Amino acid sequence: MKSFCASPKLVRSVYCLIAVAILPWVIWNGFIQQLNSEWNDLVLRLRPPTAYSQALGQIVLLAIDDRTAAKYGPLPLNRRTLATAMQVLAEAQPRVLAVDLLLPEPGDAAADEALASALRRYPRLILGAALDSDGQPQASWIDPLPTFANQATVAHVHAAPDPDGDVRSVLLTKEGANTRRWAFGLEAARLFLGAGRPLEKLDSVTLGSIRLPASHADNRLLFINYAGPEGTFQRVSFADLIERRAAPASFQNKLVILGVTAQGGGDRIFTPVSSGIGMSGIEIHANVIRTILDKAFLMPVGPVAEFWLGLLVIGAAVLAMVRLQGTRLLLAFMLVGALLFGAGFVSVSLGYLFPIGSLITVFIFAAAVAAVSEHSILRRSLAGEVRRRQEYAFRVQAIAHEIKTPLTAIQGSSEMISESWVPEEQRIEMAGLIHKESKRLTGLVQTFLSVERLASGTIGLEKRPVALRRVCEEVVDRGRLYAARKKIQVEFDAPEIDLKADPELLSFALYNLITNGVKYSPKNTSILVSAEEAHGSVIVCVADQGQGIPPAEREMIFQKFYRAKRDEKGSEEGTGIGLALVKEIVEQHGGRISVESQPGAGSRFTMTLPKE
Ligand code: ADP
């Protein structure tokens, strides 16, 4: 039975399909998307500092820092202290004041009034609000006291951390009980620009002339393009302001963000650019504002582009695996890795977040699938090559053996011919035998070469019309000569049958079956060669009265170089190749061979060949 062996083409098509099939899984897999974020964080951390940022010079952080806390604390700061500082700041005339402090509960009435009147001095004022976290189905807003919020714009101060806790984006709006609030950074930028209400479209939000790529489908999520780590923005200590050590010019016409940076204040969250400790809330707001004012938006390339890029990467992995090996393969892999990482840098500078993690995952997966498959293809072809070499060596042996028989006859006859006592009549007979055997030798060599080339697939079968009876008669005659040594009768019975076959190969097969019958039968028995036509096929049988074949070995005798256990040490020489060649010839004709046998009572080999 032939084992199923897929062609390399089929194996390659299947593994390419597998690699492509995982693409959607990679694109919509949360874990791999997280991997993308991590890789992009690395790009963001490694890229050179923002070369040009107008917003960087327009934003000032007024920091309630550790020094302020130590001197004017505890936190939250006393409202009277806040009021004093706001009065001082108002004199410097900032364009916008954004207060990232929650001022929801009433305090000392006089202090509250002092703060309210100080805040009233700011025409463009933003106060922070947050959603409560009591686990209600609909969270309610923790708004600033109405006396502070009187003329102010109230905005939400929530960050939108990713599953790993890093803040890479902000939700431009948030919905609480009955009210939707815009983000603190968006409102600050809007007031700074003097723009009207934000204009909402399905795919964007527009502020004046700035279009923010935050779609409704993504909950108005805006990626923050961090200008740098903590400390990138100009910063003035609250203590310096209140003690009038800060130059008023540093606030004039600026967007001032007031908030806590002190370690004890708790307003710190991790970002892609922070290391060690988190980034303060006001620095994150400043980065949101700078992303908007500088129009330095970052956008993911999207699933469609990710899919096409994935296909490209799979192609590269498969090509590398099929074409390259050793150091070149390693270098190609390193090159692809470097290219993907490089593309990350280029695309961030163009405003796109490149899916480095997805593509590296796809590349590794595709390369692994290709490597395993290519390995099996290679192993199979190597095993095939080894088998072919073994077969070749054995076949050479078989040829040598088959050639030996006529050669021995030629040698013996030629020796006798030279003897003087041999009568003339016998001499002529021997010369005839020598001629016949040498012709047979040539035929044998030719047949072997044909079989060899047939098996290796270098020649096709040459079918032509054959008068079967005549071919069989010729082979049976030769068989009789061979059988004479054991006084075995070779009988022949067949009608005239025409079929299409390769006559040389057919003779070779039949001759093999007859000589086997002789070899494995005792003396004084007989062999019957018969042929008949049935249902469009031609059936040729060779039946002997020999020792038969044990049932367990009946299939195996057709394998190359197999000899029945009994005959391995028997007197008849053999290589075990004959029947394998007969089978090969019959199958090349589109036919089949079978054997029936009664151990001790003989064997009957049947070749069934198609007539056409
Ligand atoms: P070889 O005759 O050179 O050994 P073959 O391939 O022709 O090789 O035959 C394989 C084996 O099948 C033989 O060694 C023998 O054991 C068995 N065999 C073949 N033909 C017969 C037969 N007519 N009767 C009994 N055994 C046979």
Side-chain angles (χ1 to χ4, degrees):
M1 209 182 84
K2 267 195 175 169
S3 66
F4 174 76
C5 280
S7 73
K9 227 181 201 170
L10 183 71
V11 174
R12 287 188 180 129
S13 316
V14 170
Y15 77 65
C16 284
L17 266 179
I18 294 175
V20 173
I22 68 135
L23 262 183
W25 177 79
V26 170
I27 293 168
W28 286 290
N29 181 292
F31 174 74
I32 291 173
Q33 292 301 325
Q34 191 60 51
L35 216 64
N36 281 340
S37 306
E38 299 289 342
W39 275 100
N40 273 307
D41 290 353
L42 193 64
V43 170
L44 288 170
R45 271 199 296 273
L46 292 179
R47 75 179 165 164
T50 309
Y52 174 76
S53 166
Q54 220 176 4
L56 219 54
Q58 292 169 327
I59 299 169
V60 180
L61 306 183
L62 184 55
I64 302 175
D65 51 10
D66 289 309
R67 197 151 55 85
T68 311
K71 211 157 172 190
Y72 300 96
L75 298 179
L77 282 187
N78 180 310
R79 287 189 184 158
R80 198 172 292 279
T81 315
L82 271 178
T84 313
M86 292 306 96
Q87 290 288 4
V88 176
L89 180 67
E91 286 162 27
Q93 294 184 323
R95 195 183 321 177
V96 175
L97 172 65
V99 181
D100 181 20
L101 299 172
L102 294 181
L103 303 166
E105 65 289 318
D108 171 71
D112 282 357
E113 180 42 41
L115 179 58
S117 81
L119 291 178
R120 274 197 287 273
R121 294 184 64 183
Y122 296 88
R124 293 176 180 186
L125 173 69
I126 294 148
L127 296 179
L131 285 167
D132 69 18
S133 49
D134 290 346
Q136 303 293 328
Q138 175 97 60
S140 56
W141 286 104
I142 305 170
D143 277 337
L145 281 181
T147 128
F148 303 137
N150 218 353
Q151 300 157 8
T153 301
V154 178
H156 86 74
V157 290
H158 290 283
D162 282 346
D164 65 348
D166 274 9
V167 177
R168 298 183 180 87
S169 50
V170 64
L171 288 173
L172 290 185
T173 67
K174 251 183 164 343
E175 185 96 43
N178 304 325
T179 322
R180 198 163 75 113
R181 296 216 185 281
W182 290 100
F184 190 81
L186 177 135
E187 289 288 32
R190 183 176 71 81
L191 291 194
F192 189 75
L193 294 168
R197 298 302 309 159
L199 198 75
E200 285 190 78
K201 287 200 186 132
L202 271 183
D203 63 340
S204 64
V205 173
T206 307
L207 268 193
S209 63
I210 302 176
R211 182 184 163 277
L212 286 69
S215 70
H216 175 72
D218 279 343
N219 291 326
R220 303 283 183 216
L221 191 89
L222 184 81
F223 283 89
I224 307 171
N225 191 343
Y226 286 92
E230 176 100 41
T232 300
F233 289 85
Q234 202 184 322
R235 188 177 284 208
V236 176
S237 165
F238 186 89
D240 285 344
L241 173 78
I242 212 165
E243 289 156 18
R244 293 183 180 273
R245 276 202 299 272
S250 55
F251 298 109
Q252 196 173 15
N253 213 23
K254 299 283 168 65
L255 194 166
V256 178
I257 308 174
L258 168 65
V260 180
T261 62
Q263 302 264 7
D267 190 13
R268 280 183 181 271
I269 322 180
F270 279 96
T271 70
V273 288
S274 51
S275 53
I277 58 166
M279 188 180 263
S280 59
I282 53 172
E283 186 102 25
I284 296 178
H285 289 310
N287 276 295
V288 174
I289 298 166
R290 101 100 194 163
T291 305
I292 299 172
L293 293 182
D294 284 343
K295 298 181 198 159
F297 301 112
L298 289 176
M299 278 174 293
V301 297
V304 177
E306 213 168 306
F307 183 81
W308 287 112
L309 287 166
L311 283 188
L312 207 75
V313 162
I314 290 173
V318 171
L319 207 72
M321 270 299 165
V322 174
R323 289 282 162 91
L324 305 175
Q325 44 181 304
T327 323
R328 285 186 181 192
L329 185 62
L330 193 73
L331 284 176
F333 269 46
M334 285 161 71
L335 183 74
V336 172
L339 277 178
L340 288 179
F341 202 50
F345 278 93
V346 175
S347 70
V348 158
S349 68
L350 295 174
Y352 287 98
L353 291 169
F354 196 68
I356 309 177
S358 299
L359 296 182
I360 288 184
T361 309
V362 168
F363 185 75
I364 292 174
F365 185 85
V369 173
V372 170
S373 312
E374 288 298 323
H375 182 249
S376 78
I377 292 176
L378 203 72
R379 270 186 69 154
R380 227 176 37 214
S381 87
L382 265 180
E385 187 56 34
V386 168
R387 207 183 53 238
R388 271 192 294 281
R389 274 169 186 270
Q390 276 175 354
E391 280 176 20
Y392 186 76
F394 277 115
R395 222 173 274 176
V396 169
Q397 261 184 30
I399 294 171
H401 167 70
E402 293 287 329
I403 288 174
K404 220 171 90 188
T405 323
L407 268 183
T408 316
I410 292 171
Q411 204 182 353
S413 306
S414 56
E415 252 173 45
M416 277 175 77
I417 237 171
S418 56
E419 298 287 343
S420 53
W421 56 265
V422 177
E424 189 59 22
E425 204 177 303
Q426 210 174 339
R427 220 182 276 259
I428 293 170
E429 198 183 317
M430 278 175 180
L433 186 74
I434 289 174
H435 178 69
K436 206 167 164 192
E437 285 299 318
S438 54
K439 253 176 75 180
R440 188 157 88 85
L441 202 58
T442 316
L444 200 66
V445 169
Q446 242 163 23
T447 309
F448 265 119
L449 289 178
S450 307
V451 173
E452 178 79 6
R453 284 156 69 196
L454 195 74
S456 68
T458 49
I459 58 160
L461 206 70
E462 270 184 40
K463 275 192 178 185
R464 49 182 191 267
V466 170
L468 185 70
R469 202 182 139 94
R470 219 165 51 77
V471 172
C472 290
E473 269 169 358
E474 188 271 320
V475 180
V476 167
D477 280 348
R478 279 201 283 130
R480 281 184 181 135
L481 285 175
Y482 186 76
R485 64 179 175 116
K486 283 172 102 173
K487 298 198 173 62
I488 291 176
Q489 297 284 321
V490 183
E491 284 154 33
F492 176 55
D493 173 29
E496 296 284 351
I497 300 172
D498 293 326
L499 86 155
K500 275 198 168 160
D502 189 315
E504 276 81 38
L505 295 179
L506 196 60
S507 306
F508 178 84
L510 187 59
Y511 186 70
N512 246 282
L513 294 181
I514 298 174
T515 50
N516 272 354
V518 176
K519 272 158 69 177
Y520 305 111
S521 297
K523 287 183 180 168
N524 298 314
T525 53
S526 69
I527 293 172
L528 174 65
V529 178
S530 61
E532 59 174 326
E533 202 178 330
H535 316 295
S537 296
V538 176
I539 299 165
V540 182
C541 290
V542 178
D544 61 45
Q545 297 169 332
Q547 52 205 26
I549 303 153
E553 291 183 295
R554 259 171 230 164
E555 279 294 316
M556 297 197 286
I557 55 170
F558 293 103
Q559 291 171 6
K560 283 176 186 143
F561 316 113
Y562 188 84
R563 302 201 74 205
K565 298 269 171 304
R566 174 197 61 208
D567 299 317
E568 272 180 333
K569 295 191 187 90
S571 57
E572 292 291 350
E573 278 188 13
T575 54
I577 188 82
L579 282 181
L581 292 178
V582 173
K583 186 168 183 246
E584 178 89 39
I585 290 169
V586 173
E587 282 177 356
Q588 292 280 347
H589 276 84
R592 56 180 197 280
I593 184 162
S594 60
V595 62
E596 298 151 70
S597 179
Q598 286 275 316
S603 316
R604 180 187 168 88
F605 284 85
T606 307
M607 295 192 284
T608 309
L609 300 162
K611 225 176 130 43
E612 285 300 311

